[in-house]
Amino acid sequence: MSRSATAGVAPVRRRLGVVLVDPLPVVRAGLALLIDGSDDLEVLSEPSDADTALASLGRVRRTRVVVLVGLALSGTRDAPWLIRTIRERFPAHAVLALGADADATTISHALFVGADGFVDKNVAPPAFLDAIRQAGDHKTVLVGPPMETVGDIATEIERRREMGLRLTEREREVLTVAAEGLTARQIAGRLGVRERTITTHLGRIYGKLGVGTRLAAIRVAARSGLVTVGTPE
Amino acid sequence: MASDRTTAVVSSRFAVIEGVLRLTTASLPGIEHVHPVRDRERVIDEVEERHPQIAVLDLDPSGPDSIVLIRKLSGLVDDVVVVLLTDRVDGAIALEAMRSGVRGLLLKPEALRDLAPTLRRVIAGERVIDPALEGSAVAMLGRFARQAREGSQIEATISPREMDILRLMGDGLTMRQIARRLDISARTVETHATKLYRKLEVRTRVQAVAKAASIGLIELT
């Protein structure tokens, strides 16, 4: 019996590729099993840190994949850093932040730096997989947090934005360097200006953020995502 | 001031819907007086004066003034149970409603069919949001986050002087008026404007104002 090439055979749709970034091996293994178990998704790689993730994405030959970024990723190149970098270097991919009982502040931070959505590890597997599919469909995804959170997230995003509007680019630069723990003199050396200039900037920064000490300024700015605070390698 | 548990306020611009809202709220346990408010402008005042237990408000025909109304309502939600109805799945309105703390956000016409049990659930303390409206709010949240990000990134590159000029453009001043207001030459204004357009990735003044407004850099009154 002859079969015409176009008779009744549905075209095979390529599985949606997923890159799974999380520092914990058990989490990666568990999620990979779950994702590979569905017939429309497949895990392309399982990096454990930001640099490996970016290298992996550089090798991906597909137009669009979903990158799951575990918010537990910490250090100098933490989750927000990775999300921001993926958005800049690989704008076609969808980034889905992955958290555990994350609150509105954490979720708003992820969305603000460029995640297309958030999914909580505490949701049922089918909902988890659907979240990945929706992200692959260019939709904003929020799966896991109760609906009340939506309003809080919007408020937090606005607050984050307003904080950003208040500091100048130079002030943000000074604060980012200050967050590494350098003295005013060292900051001045790093930025190529006089120490007096730095102390003036810091004074203005404290005033704008409504704080009195450098530690408080760094804490406030880090909480709002204005600066990324990480321990230098 | 404690709310009057026997009073309800309802509002719709459509007589038929107002009728449905009146009948339904009148059937709620404890409600003895239902005050209809036909004029949208009077809604906030009426709710503040009467301190009802519940206010059921039809937003339609919904528009930008709906957002203003919802923001004003957010100041009352601690004392009054507020339920909103609309027939438009509008992400901006839905997100604003969810931020405001209203207890119910319902989609017409389906919501009108079993409005009584829904209102009873709401009075019992449950928050009832139509899934389609919640979905549109989440979609809006994504756009909101992107606008906030782009706005703050662009804002970081704009100097205070350029910001002044942008604001005055948004107020509708001509280049010459801007020059006079800022006490600088028209040539200087043009130079700043050119740099501004490049930073905003636009070509004209109208586009600059529109782009700046859309990312929240300036507000258009």
Side-chain angles (χ1 to χ4, degrees):
Chain A
M1 183 166 92
S2 70
R3 280 233 209 113
S4 126
T6 53
V9 178
V12 173
R13 212 145 161 255
R14 205 178 194 183
R15 294 188 186 204
L16 175 63
V18 180
V19 170
L20 196 48
V21 190
D22 194 283
L24 300 178
V26 172
V27 171
R28 292 197 305 274
L31 292 181
L33 256 177
L34 179 62
I35 293 169
D36 279 332
S38 72
D39 52 19
D40 58 336
L41 304 172
E42 70 175 323
V43 175
L44 299 178
S45 62
E46 302 171 39
S48 58
D49 61 58
D51 288 326
T52 319
L54 292 171
S56 171
L57 285 171
R59 288 191 297 268
V60 163
R61 284 284 153 265
R62 306 190 185 200
T63 3
R64 184 178 176 89
V65 305
V66 175
V67 189
L68 273 172
V69 177
L71 290 175
L73 210 59
S74 60
T76 329
R77 302 197 159 179
D78 58 2
W81 184 92
L82 180 57
I83 295 172
R84 214 182 286 130
T85 309
I86 295 175
R87 174 134 315 278
E88 282 165 26
R89 293 193 16 201
F90 306 99
H93 296 328
V95 178
L96 199 49
L98 176 66
D101 288 327
D103 60 7
T105 309
T106 314
I107 300 172
S108 73
H109 190 181
L111 292 177
F112 185 81
V113 296
D116 295 288
F118 170 86
V119 59
D120 205 297
K121 287 179 200 165
N122 66 16
V123 303
F128 186 86
L129 297 174
D130 268 337
I132 297 176
R133 293 181 188 109
Q134 280 179 57
D137 266 343
H138 302 257
K139 298 207 178 81
T140 304
V141 178
L142 195 63
V143 174
M147 88 170 77
E148 286 77 40
T149 330
V150 174
D152 294 332
I153 295 172
T155 305
E156 285 290 303
I157 290 174
E158 209 167 55
R159 201 176 57 82
R160 202 169 289 274
R161 167 78 190 285
E162 269 153 29
M163 294 224 62
L165 287 177
R166 280 200 250 147
L167 291 191
T168 67
E169 192 182 357
R170 192 53 152 170
E171 285 162 349
R172 250 179 280 175
E173 208 178 340
V174 168
L175 196 54
T176 306
V177 178
E180 289 179 36
L182 309 184
T183 64
R185 175 170 303 179
Q186 290 168 328
I187 299 171
R190 173 84 71 88
L191 296 177
V193 296
R194 298 202 324 263
E195 187 182 342
R196 167 64 98 37
T197 313
I198 296 298
T199 47
T200 310
H201 276 307
L202 286 174
R204 234 182 269 136
I205 292 170
Y206 300 162
K208 286 190 181 184
L209 296 184
V211 298
T213 67
R214 185 185 305 194
L215 190 55
I218 292 168
R219 208 184 308 135
V220 168
R223 249 193 71 220
S224 324
L226 270 184
V227 298
T228 309
V229 179
T231 47
E233 301 297 340
Chain B
M1 190 174 137
S3 73
D4 179 357
R5 307 200 66 73
T6 63
T7 304
V9 166
V10 300
S11 174
S12 175
R13 289 207 180 123
F14 308 103
V16 173
I17 298 193
E18 183 192 277
V20 172
L21 299 186
R22 286 175 76 170
L23 278 174
T24 317
T25 48
S27 75
L28 294 172
I31 298 293
E32 289 165 17
H33 315 285
V34 180
H35 298 282
V37 182
R38 188 67 68 84
D39 180 3
R40 174 77 59 92
E41 309 290 314
R42 295 270 326 141
V43 166
I44 297 291
D45 290 333
E46 290 281 334
V47 172
E48 277 175 347
E49 281 165 25
R50 300 189 186 278
H51 261 91
Q53 185 195 156
I54 182 169
V56 186
L57 314 171
D58 179 5
L59 291 174
D60 298 322
S62 65
D65 60 329
S66 308
I67 304 241
V68 176
L69 176 64
I70 294 171
R71 287 205 184 130
K72 288 185 185 164
L73 286 168
S74 68
L76 303 169
V77 294
D78 285 337
D79 306 314
V80 182
V81 173
V82 178
V83 177
L84 302 176
L85 294 112
T86 180
D87 63 6
R88 265 180 65 191
V89 181
D90 180 314
I93 290 179
L95 184 59
E96 199 63 46
M98 293 183 73
R99 290 182 70 178
S100 69
V102 300
R103 202 78 81 73
L105 180 62
L106 312 174
L107 194 61
K108 295 185 308 187
E110 300 88 343
L112 294 171
R113 283 195 268 276
D114 52 6
L115 188 58
T118 306
L119 291 183
R120 262 180 242 127
R121 283 163 63 194
V122 166
I123 287 184
E126 199 182 322
R127 204 149 178 237
V128 181
I129 314 267
D130 180 277
L133 290 170
E134 189 189 351
S136 74
V138 171
M140 182 69 214
L141 193 61
R143 289 196 291 279
F144 189 64
R146 192 191 52 228
Q147 283 167 6
R149 176 173 66 255
E150 287 172 1
S152 74
Q153 282 168 353
I154 290 180
E155 211 277 345
T157 69
I158 293 183
S159 72
R161 188 49 122 196
E162 286 162 351
M163 205 53 226
D164 290 336
I165 292 176
L166 189 52
R167 255 184 235 115
L168 294 174
M169 281 182 183
D171 286 341
L173 274 64
T174 65
M175 294 307 209
R176 186 168 299 174
Q177 288 170 328
I178 294 176
R180 221 175 305 138
R181 176 76 70 90
L182 297 177
D183 198 24
I184 54 181
S185 74
R187 171 62 111 18
T188 312
V189 175
E190 290 289 347
T191 310
H192 280 302
T194 310
K195 249 188 251 146
L196 198 48
Y197 298 163
R198 200 187 35 223
K199 291 179 183 179
L200 289 169
E201 292 176 340
V202 297
R203 275 175 291 119
T204 71
R205 171 217 171 100
V206 171
Q207 290 171 344
V209 170
K211 176 92 180 261
S214 79
I215 57 179
L217 271 188
I218 59 173
E219 274 197 18
L220 297 178
T221 43

